[in-house]
Amino acid sequence: WKQFLVWRWDMKSRLCEKLGIEFPLFAFSHCRNVVVEVSKAGGFGVLGAVGLAPENLEQELKWIDENIDGKPYGIDLLIPSRMDHKNENSQTSDDLKALIPKEYYNFVDNILEAHDLETGDLWSGKYGIDYTHNMREAGANKLLEVAFRHPITLFVNALGVPPKSVIKKCRDKNILVGALTGAREHAVKHAAAGVDILVVSGTEAGGHCGEISTMVVVPDVIESVKSNQDIFILAAGGIATGGQMAACMAMGAAGVWCGSVWLTTPEAETTPTVKKKMLEANARNTVRSRSRTGKPTRQLQSAWTDAWTSPNALKPLEMPLQGVLSRPAMDKIDTKASAGHKGAMALSTYYVGQAVGLMNEEKSVKTIVYEFMEDYVEAVDRLSKTLK
């Protein structure tokens, strides 16, 4: 299948040449298996590492190095430009928990109890890991120290301009720097900072996303940085097929960045409950909600997201406190849902984009990559026939 595609076309791409890949399909995933399989199939895997302790990241990257057959890959961290308590490096998880008003703990308890879940151990430390420190520059640098001991070729930052110190360290090691971009003004700031790759994400995307559609924000960003020929644009948001990829590249993108499409693969970290929901969902079954992190994230609609928009709902806290509040609850919900608890299954949710409506069948990562290639070729063929 792959050899047939290679015979049929030869990808001409500066970005592919720069990174040593065959096809400019970038896969964001928290699962090392997805990262490895995408890179081995000709794309580029990127490990989402913000939730990992340095020692865990070392284990993950060592495993990737041993299994990726020398193919290139990168990592993604989340260092927001704006976040409450961003520079308070000495602040512990317990300090953050103490800042959350009691009524918020009671509100979450009530959500779970309304679905027959016990909450006596919810705040004991048994559930949910607080990784707030990884979102501060000091914490991110600890993770980068680990990553720099491995052959990563790309670092991508979400929710803000990468810190100057991080960009310099990447430059010194010939590692490309990328940044999530949701609007023209973000792109201008990233370009001024010296970012190499802009991951331009529309509101259709899973996880943190803005309000502008992919079809609009991609050409808008391209226009805003057109004077800088050294910046590469990756389109993101709602992309799950090679035909969509071809459309984005027709607009001027150098490739695409996909996260949601891998979540229904056997290799993904997705829980069985959530995977089943995704396979049955359509594009209308996602919501943009602040209930997980404090910033708008697109995720599956569930009894959890509904509770945060009910008439008696509290306003979600700002980042990072909303994440500190929600992570133990979501961890317990996932644990109980995996054991078949019906109330937990109703509450379970996960970050996913509107492309979930196109994800109706469980397929391997390798199959998805090859289908992207085939669909891309067919789309380009169709487009070429419109010209005489």
Side-chain angles (χ1 to χ4, degrees):
W1 188 0
K2 183 181 178 185
Q3 191 60 50
F4 164 75
L5 292 170
V6 171
W7 286 336
R8 194 171 168 189
W9 56 277
D10 180 21
M11 193 82 194
K12 296 177 181 178
S13 165
R14 284 196 304 127
L15 184 55
C16 286
E17 292 174 2
K18 199 171 188 70
L19 287 171
I21 60 177
E22 299 172 35
F23 191 60
L25 173 61
F26 290 70
F28 168 82
S29 177
H30 296 288
C31 180
R32 64 189 187 183
N33 301 73
V34 173
V35 171
V36 163
E37 290 304 314
V38 170
S39 288
K40 287 169 67 174
F44 190 97
V46 182
L47 181 70
V50 69
L52 299 174
E55 57 271 22
N56 298 128
L57 179 59
E58 172 63 34
Q59 293 172 0
E60 295 293 281
L61 296 184
K62 181 180 178 183
W63 187 91
I64 289 173
D65 292 343
E66 292 171 349
N67 290 276
I68 205 166
D69 295 346
K71 300 294 185 180
Y73 70 97
I75 71 162
D76 176 288
L77 293 177
L78 197 160
I79 316 172
S81 292
R82 293 192 300 275
M83 179 179 76
D84 289 354
H85 316 287
K86 178 180 177 181
N87 298 315
E88 297 170 29
N89 292 316
S90 62
Q91 199 169 48
T92 67
S93 178
D94 287 338
D95 292 332
L96 290 171
K97 290 176 183 177
L99 294 173
I100 298 174
K102 191 176 189 317
E103 59 262 35
Y104 278 84
Y105 289 113
N106 292 338
F107 182 68
V108 171
D109 284 345
N110 290 338
I111 294 173
L112 269 62
E113 289 167 359
H115 290 81
D116 299 320
L117 285 167
E118 296 290 336
T119 58
D121 61 350
L122 185 57
W123 312 111
S124 65
K126 179 180 179 180
Y127 296 102
I129 298 172
D130 176 29
Y131 51 80
T132 299
H133 190 56
N134 289 351
M135 297 190 287
R136 299 175 178 134
E137 187 171 345
N141 276 322
K142 291 291 185 183
L143 294 175
L144 285 170
E145 286 175 11
V146 173
F148 289 154
R149 297 198 292 266
H150 297 265
I152 66 167
T153 55
L154 173 66
F155 162 71
V156 177
N157 184 53
L159 292 184
V161 178
K164 290 181 180 179
S165 66
V166 171
I167 294 177
K168 184 179 185 306
K169 289 174 183 176
C170 290
R171 288 279 177 271
D172 292 344
K173 297 181 178 295
N174 294 318
I175 295 170
L176 294 182
V177 178
L180 190 70
T181 308
R184 169 185 282 258
E185 56 268 27
H186 300 165
V188 172
K189 291 177 182 177
H190 291 321
V195 167
D196 303 293
I197 296 174
L198 302 182
V199 180
V200 184
S201 179
T203 193
E204 300 95 324
H208 291 107
C209 62
E211 301 175 275
I212 309 171
S213 74
T214 304
M215 186 63 75
V216 173
V217 72
V218 170
D220 194 28
V221 166
I222 290 173
E223 172 67 21
S224 73
V225 297
K226 66 180 180 181
S227 62
N228 190 333
Q229 297 298 310
D230 294 326
I231 292 181
F232 296 97
I233 304 297
L234 296 181
I239 300 167
T241 71
Q244 290 172 295
M245 180 179 182
C248 291
M249 294 181 72
M251 290 191 291
V256 294
W257 172 282
C258 301
S260 297
V261 73
W262 318 109
L263 294 174
T264 51
T265 64
E267 294 91 343
E269 78 279 9
T270 327
T271 66
T273 300
V274 168
K275 185 180 291 186
K276 183 175 185 295
K277 283 187 172 185
M278 289 182 180
L279 289 170
E280 295 173 352
N282 62 51
R284 293 189 178 91
N285 295 141
T286 70
V287 292
R288 193 167 167 268
S289 169
R290 291 179 53 222
S291 64
R292 292 289 293 263
T293 72
K295 291 183 183 289
T297 61
R298 188 170 296 284
Q299 57 195 279
L300 280 175
Q301 182 180 8
S302 77
W304 170 267
T305 60
D306 290 345
W308 285 93
T309 57
S310 65
N312 65 337
L314 297 176
K315 180 181 178 182
L317 299 164
E318 297 297 322
M319 180 182 274
L321 297 185
Q322 185 68 22
V324 173
L325 177 71
S326 70
R327 278 191 287 272
M330 299 314 303
D331 189 8
K332 180 159 190 169
I333 288 167
D334 286 342
T335 300
K336 297 300 181 181
S338 295
H341 189 288
K342 291 185 178 180
M345 293 168 71
L347 287 164
S348 63
T349 178
Y350 197 62
Y351 309 110
V352 72
Q354 291 178 332
V356 71
L358 301 173
M359 297 152 45
N360 304 313
E361 179 184 353
E362 186 177 61
K363 300 174 183 177
S364 72
V365 169
K366 184 183 292 186
T367 296
I368 290 174
V369 175
Y370 293 167
E371 286 185 352
F372 256 88
M373 291 177 174
E374 185 175 42
D375 290 348
Y376 178 86
V377 170
E378 290 176 355
V380 171
D381 283 347
R382 285 196 303 273
L383 190 60
S384 67
K385 291 175 183 176
T386 64
L387 297 175
K388 293 182 179 180

